[in-house]
Amino acid sequence: DKKEKKKKGKKKGGKGGKEAGGDDEEGFKMVPSMFIPGIEEASSTYEEIWKQRDETENFQQKYDAELIKELKRGEVESEIRVQVDDLMRQELKNLKAALQKDMGKKGGKGSAKKKGGKKKDKKGGKKGKKDKDLTPDRTIESLYEELVKEGILVQYPKVKISDYMGEYSYLGTTLRQANIEPMPSLSDVRRVITEYGILPMGSQTVHETAP
């Protein structure tokens, strides 16, 4: 009897676990922010350059000659690399020309160009295919009209931030001194909406990088 009861209990537990797992539905997922790469780059720069530097005695914020040399060294290397690549390409062309003269293969260039042109035409034909338009006989105005009639597009009333009423939390400082984090007041909510929701909308950088 005890064994049968244990088996029944295990079966019930397994069903409950499945039901609990089935209730968890995937909700809205935010698109990754474009600001993250910049933040990661700034963090890595701090870790590599500034974290181990002692600036306690550098009150005048004088320049660091070694730091400037490291930055400029990379620029000089990139410039020299471009010049070296150009020289290597020129040497390679000269070697190919000398080899063709020795082997007597002057007509190879023309045939190579023809083959290249044919390949480009074939690729261009494949790229020329367009996606099928599901509504070829409909105008944009008629599509918008249908969305409005179906209630998908809804015009919301204009609301000002001043219409959001709320007072400042006067006990917030007192509670923080007692190591208690106070609940945000309505005034705090209005301020956060203004600073992080409304003001950034006027920035071109935010429109270009925000998800």
Side-chain angles (χ1 to χ4, degrees):
D1 294 337
K2 291 181 180 179
K3 291 181 180 179
E4 290 179 359
K5 287 181 180 179
K6 286 182 180 179
K7 289 180 181 179
K8 289 180 180 179
K10 288 181 180 179
K11 289 180 181 179
K12 289 180 180 179
K15 290 180 180 179
K18 290 181 180 179
E19 291 177 357
D23 293 339
D24 295 336
E25 296 181 357
E26 293 185 359
F28 176 75
K29 291 184 178 180
M30 180 66 73
V31 180
S33 176
M34 299 297 290
F35 290 99
I36 294 176
I39 295 172
E40 291 178 347
E41 183 179 357
S43 177
S44 62
T45 302
Y46 170 77
E47 292 287 338
E48 294 174 1
I49 299 175
W50 301 106
K51 186 176 181 180
Q52 303 298 332
R53 290 180 179 270
D54 186 7
E55 297 288 324
T56 55
E57 297 182 359
N58 189 12
F59 296 104
Q60 297 180 357
Q61 292 297 303
K62 295 181 180 179
Y63 67 91
D64 190 346
E66 293 298 326
L67 182 60
I68 295 173
K69 288 179 181 178
E70 290 178 4
L71 295 174
K72 293 299 179 181
R73 189 178 291 111
E75 296 178 3
V76 173
E77 287 179 357
S78 61
E79 292 177 0
I80 294 174
R81 186 179 295 123
V82 173
Q83 296 175 3
V84 172
D85 291 341
D86 292 337
L87 292 174
M88 294 297 292
R89 290 191 187 96
Q90 188 64 35
E91 289 293 332
L92 183 61
K93 288 180 181 179
N94 295 335
L95 289 173
K96 286 183 177 179
L99 182 62
Q100 287 176 358
K101 287 180 180 179
D102 294 339
M103 300 298 294
K105 294 181 179 179
K106 295 181 179 179
K109 290 184 179 180
S111 60
K113 287 182 180 179
K114 290 180 181 179
K115 290 180 180 179
K118 289 181 180 179
K119 288 181 180 178
K120 287 182 180 177
D121 292 336
K122 289 181 180 179
K123 290 181 179 177
K126 291 181 180 178
K127 290 182 179 177
K129 293 183 180 179
K130 297 181 179 179
D131 296 333
K132 293 182 179 179
D133 189 0
L134 300 178
T135 56
D137 301 330
R138 299 287 300 277
T139 61
I140 296 176
E141 290 78 6
S142 64
L143 293 173
Y144 272 109
E145 184 180 357
E146 184 177 352
L147 292 173
V148 172
K149 288 180 179 179
E150 295 295 332
I152 298 173
L153 292 179
V154 181
Q155 185 176 4
Y156 286 91
K158 293 182 179 180
V159 180
K160 297 180 180 179
I161 193 65
S162 58
D163 297 336
Y164 190 83
M165 306 299 292
E167 293 185 356
Y168 180 76
S169 178
Y170 297 97
L171 296 176
T173 305
T174 306
L175 292 173
R176 286 192 178 92
Q177 289 176 354
N179 294 327
I180 299 173
E181 186 63 27
M183 292 294 292
S185 63
L186 297 177
S187 177
D188 295 332
V189 176
R190 183 173 65 248
R191 178 180 58 80
V192 170
I193 292 173
T194 304
E195 293 180 358
Y196 295 96
I198 298 174
L199 294 179
M201 297 299 293
S203 173
Q204 183 178 358
T205 305
V206 173
H207 285 284
E208 293 175 353
T209 55

